[in-house]
Amino acid sequence: MKKLLQNTYLQALTTGLLLAASWPTYGFPLLIFIAFVPLLWAEKKMREQGGKTKSKILIHAYLAFVTWNALTTWWLYYASGFGMLFAVLVNALLMSVLFLLYHLAAKKAAAKISLLFLVCLWISFEKFHLIWDFSWPWLNLGHAFATFPKWIQWYEYTGSFGGSLWVLAVNAWLFYQLSTHDNKRVQIFGKWALMIAVPIVFSLWIYSIYEIKGEAKEVIVLQPNVDPYTEKYDTPNFLIAQGLLAQTDALITDKTELVIAPETVLAENAPYDVFYNSPARYLMQNYIRQHPKAQLLWGIDTYQFIYDSTAVHAATNKFREGIWVDFYNAALFFNQKPEIQKYYKSKLVVGIENLPYKSILEPVLGNIMLDLGGTISTKTTQKDRTPFVANDGTKIAPIICYESVYGEYVSEFVKNGASLLAVITNDAWWNETQGHKQHLTFSVLRAIENRRDVARSANTGISAFINQRGDIVSLTKYNEKTALKATVHLNKKMTFYTFCGDYIALLATFFLVLLSLLILLRKKV
């Protein structure tokens, strides 16, 4: 049994299983504070044995991280089998390369230096994973506590990177103490427990004293449960709008100020200028005239032809000779004013809404992507995070689906004056799996980071209202046609995190550069 426990492959596998067992929504996050230790122990054993270790380290790390990725994001298979394999295998490989770099650092530097290098390297990678074209930050470590919002109220100061730092620092400290003070394990685990308990107790105190702030508004979120593969495109927008307004009628009062419908709920195969003059649009405007206080924030999947070559940009798609087309996953805002406010989704799903590095990869992978069920079309985005402006001047952040995973990105809406976060999404792609549940929990993190209420409208997923403390006040069931009504509060104060953004990641990158230079310039220890 002892030999089995000392098996390095078993130790690597244990790390993967512990990471998966700590993940939302079925896991228990305390496990993550010990999850990296078995893999670190396996690396230390192989390093001390000497010989050629690079390939062994990479294989062990890959075993750990592919296990974690597969067990927590396998549900991507329901949207795309190729997409699931790409996300799991490539993301695990990137994580394994990080661990290999740590191994190379550990061969040259003292244990404290190399472990600090790992902490800074991993956080820098998480930040990079938020901004490059192959962005996939779903498994950033700070997300592990999303189902325990009372533990992480201090995210309003640190954002989710505070959670990543917490996890990595505790794992690194525990491994260092166990590997250098083997005979003091009782004291070590006592201090380890304290490093976990203190931030949690501090968070519980913040939670207990925090008061919900802001003016109260009545809001309705709709969950139409429209099949995104067939019904959405086979049903004219007029009938879709009619059904949504019928759902609204069941709940609307004279106090209702906002009605939110999901991402791409309007998806008739017609360009935007056709929709603007369509029966669906006139039906919606007529509804607003009947309910002058109500305003509609609805999603649309649409496009626009371009006939002027000077208006073509990097995301524009060639239609035919002399004609180009821009595709949009957009949010529309209707109120008493004649113009319709628009926001274009700007954090796009890789391979579905965006071909990364299009100018390079399209000539090579275009046909392959189509054969595998992907796309070579790219949605058009926008530069600024512009909130919608309501009748009374209230600013509302239109956050479309995948964008809710990005902390600093969402905070840019709040910096621009948003006092309410409106998340519109379509989570039907993943069936009734952990996918849509995990996606819901990211809205909890955004609520705490910015101290903003969240009104979440999902087509087929979970619609919900979340308050400024991250409490889910009310929610729907998966795969049901329904609607929710609640009173939200419009907080206008900015948190430290909203103002400073991902400063922890920037500091980690700065120290990573310094540590890299230190390790490269020093002699082997």
Side-chain angles (χ1 to χ4, degrees), residues 404-453:
S404 64
V405 186
Y406 295 79
E408 189 176 65
Y409 183 92
V410 170
S411 294
E412 289 176 9
F413 282 109
V414 180
K415 275 187 177 180
N416 289 331
S419 54
L420 173 67
L421 306 182
V423 176
I424 60 174
T425 186
N426 183 4
D427 292 346
W429 316 110
W430 312 317
N431 287 5
E432 195 166 359
T433 63
Q434 290 299 313
H436 71 276
K437 298 175 183 178
Q438 291 173 4
H439 195 201
L440 169 66
T441 65
F442 295 134
S443 292
V444 170
L445 301 179
R446 306 294 84 86
I448 296 170
E449 287 170 345
N450 300 284
R451 294 302 185 187
R452 294 295 187 269
D453 281 25

Side-chain angles (χ1 to χ4, degrees), residues 449-463:
E449 287 170 345
N450 300 284
R451 294 302 185 187
R452 294 295 187 269
D453 281 25
V454 177
R456 188 179 196 269
S457 171
N459 172 38
T460 304
I462 301 176
S463 300

Side-chain angles (χ1 to χ4, degrees), residues 340-510:
I340 300 174
Q341 298 178 52
K342 298 186 291 292
Y343 166 75
Y344 303 139
K345 182 180 181 182
S346 299
K347 282 294 184 183
L348 304 176
V349 179
V350 176
I352 304 299
E353 298 176 313
N354 175 40
L355 179 62
Y357 307 106
K358 185 177 179 181
S359 61
I360 300 171
L361 296 182
E362 184 174 8
V364 180
L365 296 180
N367 292 332
I368 296 175
M369 290 295 290
L370 288 173
D371 292 342
L372 291 169
T375 176
I376 58 172
S377 299
T378 298
K379 302 288 188 184
T380 295
T381 61
Q382 67 180 63
K383 181 180 179 181
D384 299 319
R385 310 285 73 78
T386 307
F388 291 145
V389 182
N391 290 327
D392 62 356
T394 296
K395 293 184 177 181
I396 304 158
I399 301 160
I400 304 178
C401 189
Y402 191 47
E403 294 178 331
S404 64
V405 186
Y406 295 79
E408 189 176 65
Y409 183 92
V410 170
S411 294
E412 289 176 9
F413 282 109
V414 180
K415 275 187 177 180
N416 289 331
S419 54
L420 173 67
L421 306 182
V423 176
I424 60 174
T425 186
N426 183 4
D427 292 346
W429 316 110
W430 312 317
N431 287 5
E432 195 166 359
T433 63
Q434 290 299 313
H436 71 276
K437 298 175 183 178
Q438 291 173 4
H439 195 201
L440 169 66
T441 65
F442 295 134
S443 292
V444 170
L445 301 179
R446 306 294 84 86
I448 296 170
E449 287 170 345
N450 300 284
R451 294 302 185 187
R452 294 295 187 269
D453 281 25
V454 177
R456 188 179 196 269
S457 171
N459 172 38
T460 304
I462 301 176
S463 300
F465 285 98
I466 303 168
N467 68 21
Q468 296 160 23
R469 287 191 293 250
D471 300 317
I472 299 177
V473 178
S474 60
L475 74 167
T476 63
K477 295 180 181 178
Y478 181 87
N479 199 30
E480 68 171 346
K481 183 177 181 177
T482 187
L484 288 176
K485 180 172 67 176
T487 298
V488 301
H489 293 83
L490 308 178
N491 184 17
K492 295 183 179 180
K493 294 183 178 179
M494 283 202 301
T495 65
F496 184 84
Y497 173 73
T498 301
F499 184 76
C500 294
D502 293 335
Y503 66 93
I504 288 178
L506 298 178
L507 287 172
T509 303
F510 173 74

Side-chain angles (χ1 to χ4, degrees), residues 285-322:
Q285 293 295 144
N286 185 55
Y287 193 85
I288 290 173
R289 282 193 289 270
Q290 295 173 17
H291 304 86
K293 202 169 184 179
Q295 299 158 100
L296 310 180
L297 194 164
W298 292 9
I300 187 170
D301 186 11
T302 187
Y303 58 92
Q304 193 69 49
F305 286 116
I306 298 175
Y307 303 95
D308 180 2
S309 61
T310 62
V312 172
H313 51 87
T316 299
N317 301 270
K318 185 73 176 287
F319 183 68
R320 61 176 63 140
E321 193 62 36

Side-chain angles (χ1 to χ4, degrees), residues 46-282:
M46 288 183 283
R47 173 164 36 92
E48 291 176 345
Q49 287 174 347
K52 295 181 179 180
T53 55
K54 293 179 185 177
S55 59
K56 289 182 180 180
I57 295 297
L58 198 60
I59 291 169
H60 280 74
Y62 198 69
L63 172 61
F65 297 131
V66 83
T67 300
W68 176 27
N69 278 260
L71 290 177
T72 52
T73 59
W74 63 269
W75 40 264
L76 288 167
Y77 171 81
Y78 287 103
S80 168
F82 172 74
M84 183 274 290
L85 287 173
F86 186 86
V88 168
L89 299 180
V90 174
N91 202 46
L93 179 60
L94 293 172
M95 292 175 172
S96 301
V97 170
L98 298 184
F99 201 77
L100 176 60
L101 292 174
Y102 159 71
H103 167 69
L104 297 176
K107 292 177 73 173
K108 289 196 69 176
K112 288 182 180 180
I113 298 295
S114 59
L115 287 168
L116 182 58
F117 174 83
L118 176 62
V119 172
C120 294
L121 178 66
W122 197 283
I123 292 175
S124 299
F125 166 73
E126 289 191 345
K127 179 61 178 178
F128 180 67
H129 228 354
L130 289 165
I131 59 178
W132 73 317
D133 273 14
F134 281 100
S135 177
W136 177 239
W138 204 273
L139 297 184
N140 281 10
L141 295 171
H143 296 162
F145 310 100
T147 51
F148 289 78
K150 292 182 180 180
W151 291 11
I152 51 169
Q153 294 295 304
W154 39 267
Y155 272 25
E156 70 167 294
Y157 302 103
T158 68
S160 65
F161 277 108
S164 296
L165 177 60
W166 188 25
V167 169
L168 291 164
V170 170
N171 273 275
W173 180 90
L174 178 61
F175 169 72
Y176 177 79
Q177 295 298 323
L178 290 175
S179 61
T180 56
H181 301 88
D182 189 55
N183 60 339
K184 298 181 179 180
R185 294 195 173 186
V186 174
Q187 297 96 312
I188 289 170
F189 279 104
K191 292 178 181 178
W192 170 79
L194 199 61
M195 291 175 71
I196 299 169
V198 169
I200 293 175
V201 171
F202 178 58
S203 179
L204 293 172
W205 175 74
I206 296 174
Y207 181 89
S208 69
I209 66 170
Y210 183 83
E211 295 181 359
I212 302 297
K213 302 176 181 67
E215 182 183 1
K217 300 281 186 181
E218 187 174 278
V219 176
I220 294 173
V221 296
L222 305 176
Q223 184 168 299
N225 205 37
V226 174
D227 187 291
Y229 291 102
T230 55
E231 186 180 358
K232 182 171 72 171
Y233 295 98
D234 296 341
T235 307
N237 274 336
F238 178 80
L239 295 179
I240 293 287
Q242 203 171 49
L244 292 169
L245 295 174
Q247 284 184 270
T248 306
D249 277 335
L251 294 176
I252 196 168
T253 70
D254 292 339
K255 296 180 180 179
T256 303
E257 297 194 33
L258 182 62
V259 180
I260 305 173
E263 173 192 23
T264 66
V265 70
L266 301 171
E268 194 171 6
N269 190 21
Y272 178 74
D273 52 3
V274 173
F275 167 78
Y276 189 84
N277 296 294
S278 69
R281 186 246 174 169
Y282 289 118

